[in-house]
Amino acid sequence: MRILLLALRRLAASLPTLFLILVGLFLLLQLAPGDTVDALIAQMGGGDPAMAEQLRQFYGLDAPVIVQLGRYLLRLVTLDLGFSAIYGKPVASVILERLPVTLLLMASALSFAFAAGMALGVLAARRVNRWPDTLISTLGLVFYATPSFWFGMMGIVVFAVHLAWLPAGGFEEIGSGNTGLTRALDIAWHLVLPVATLALTYLATYLRIMRASMLEVLTLDFVRTARAKGLGETAVVLRHVLRNALLPGVTLMGLQAGTMLGGSVVVESVFALPGLGRLAYESVVQRDVNTLLGIVFVSALLVIAINFIVDMLYAKLDPRILSGR
């Protein structure tokens, strides 16, 4: 019952956040020069003012900003994301075509970064002030300080061009007609470089957080008590230290979901992946306001969902959350 009340409180607190994000972005987009009609006319090679005015009336862009905002929010109540003038179909359809690519990229990168970062952090903490700790900490600093697009381009140059081990870009082999397991393996092969590129920066953060958390927990009284009772060092780490040391990393996972969505814009552009990040970039360039707002809406829902799952996992790992202490 307590965990259900916690879940309801978390969801209720997310609604004002979602509302403010959408309203703020909508108003900011109105301050930018040009609109969707300008982008359409540019694609057509030009047009007269009368046609531009008719298009603005057709898309509702001739109304005052507050009226356009009200119409958009009313549509959202029915989950209607509007119509994309640039792509010529509903925004929901455009996003659903790209969403699986971004979800797969994010889930793979976040899982790899979290698992590898936690493992390396534990290893560094268990060998503190020795050469493994120095090596792991140095690599973590290098990963954290290097831009992700540089990792991507160097990965393409080394592993795709010179060694020819991995594909340079794309989501799958075009025109191969693969299905089932063959297609899944082909997609996984194409995602090796993008996932590694997106994950390395976040891996460095998890590594440093886990190392610091492990070193702190290892000094607490209950750890000394466990050792005094005769438990082996491996049992102490796995049964007592690790669960408590995981809490900061789990919290960070929820916070980084949003930044990883932002990072996917760069990675998807470098590797030509047809995901939400690349779609957002194209929507900004083409002034497709409805599509951009739809991407922000879906992205905000994803971040809220991930943070909700993290909150529930945090409550499971730390019973004090449910007891209110």
Side-chain angles (χ1 to χ4, degrees):
M1 186 63 181
R2 287 180 177 177
I3 195 168
L4 179 60
L5 291 176
L6 176 65
L8 292 176
R9 285 201 303 269
R10 291 290 190 268
L11 289 176
S14 301
L15 293 178
T17 303
L18 181 60
F19 175 79
L20 290 175
I21 290 173
L22 291 173
V23 172
L25 180 64
F26 187 92
L27 296 177
L28 284 174
L29 287 174
Q30 301 305 315
L31 299 176
D35 56 19
T36 305
V37 172
D38 292 331
L40 281 173
I41 291 177
Q43 287 184 357
M44 293 185 296
D48 57 82
M51 182 182 69
E53 186 62 28
Q54 289 178 353
L55 287 173
R56 287 192 173 90
Q57 291 178 359
F58 179 77
Y59 291 114
L61 299 177
D62 59 330
V65 173
I66 192 67
V67 175
Q68 295 183 45
L69 176 59
R71 290 173 179 171
Y72 180 73
L73 293 177
L74 286 175
R75 290 201 309 267
L76 279 185
V77 175
T78 60
L79 298 180
D80 180 9
L81 300 181
F83 189 83
S84 172
I86 301 298
Y87 294 95
K89 51 186 172 181
V91 171
S93 300
V94 177
I95 291 177
L96 286 176
E97 291 173 358
R98 306 288 190 99
L99 184 59
V101 178
T102 297
L103 286 179
L104 184 58
L105 176 65
M106 276 186 58
S108 302
L110 194 58
S111 300
F112 173 72
F114 183 79
M118 295 295 105
L120 290 174
V122 171
L123 179 60
R126 298 299 299 136
R127 300 291 186 271
V128 64
N129 295 329
R130 302 178 190 174
W131 72 265
D133 178 33
T134 303
L135 177 61
I136 291 172
S137 297
T138 302
L139 286 177
L141 184 60
V142 171
F143 291 158
Y144 185 78
T146 307
S148 58
F149 68 85
W150 188 87
F151 277 128
M153 291 188 293
M154 290 302 101
I156 292 174
V157 170
V158 174
F159 295 104
V161 177
H162 287 295
L163 299 177
W165 289 353
L166 297 168
F171 185 62
E172 57 184 317
E173 194 69 32
I174 299 176
S176 61
N178 294 327
T179 58
L181 181 60
T182 305
R183 187 187 180 207
L185 292 174
D186 182 41
I187 292 173
W189 192 242
H190 279 77
L191 285 180
V192 170
L193 280 179
V195 167
T197 299
L198 186 59
L200 283 179
T201 301
Y202 300 96
L203 181 152
T205 305
Y206 288 122
L207 184 161
R208 297 181 69 85
I209 290 291
M210 189 62 181
R211 178 184 180 276
S213 184
M214 282 282 295
L215 292 177
E216 180 183 357
V217 174
L218 282 168
T219 63
L220 297 180
D221 292 340
F222 72 88
V223 177
R224 285 195 291 269
T225 302
R227 286 171 175 161
K229 290 165 60 177
L231 285 179
E233 195 62 23
T234 302
V236 169
V237 171
L238 294 179
R239 293 170 55 184
H240 297 278
V241 178
L242 191 58
R243 178 171 179 174
N244 291 275
L246 277 174
L247 295 177
V250 171
T251 304
L252 190 63
M253 184 187 295
L255 296 175
Q256 287 189 331
T259 58
M260 187 166 280
L261 271 172
S264 68
V265 176
V266 176
V267 173
E268 290 176 8
S269 298
V270 170
F271 292 98
L273 295 176
L276 280 187
R278 192 176 175 195
L279 179 63
Y281 171 75
E282 294 170 353
S283 300
V284 170
V285 173
Q286 298 174 336
R287 294 287 290 135
D288 193 349
V289 176
N290 281 344
T291 302
L292 186 58
L293 286 170
I295 293 170
V296 171
F297 177 70
V298 172
S299 300
L301 288 180
L302 280 175
V303 173
I304 289 172
I306 292 172
N307 277 275
F308 174 75
I309 295 171
V310 167
D311 284 338
M312 297 302 101
L313 182 59
Y314 200 97
K316 186 70 175 176
L317 290 172
D318 189 354
R320 293 173 297 179
I321 301 294
L322 298 179
S323 64
R325 296 178 183 177

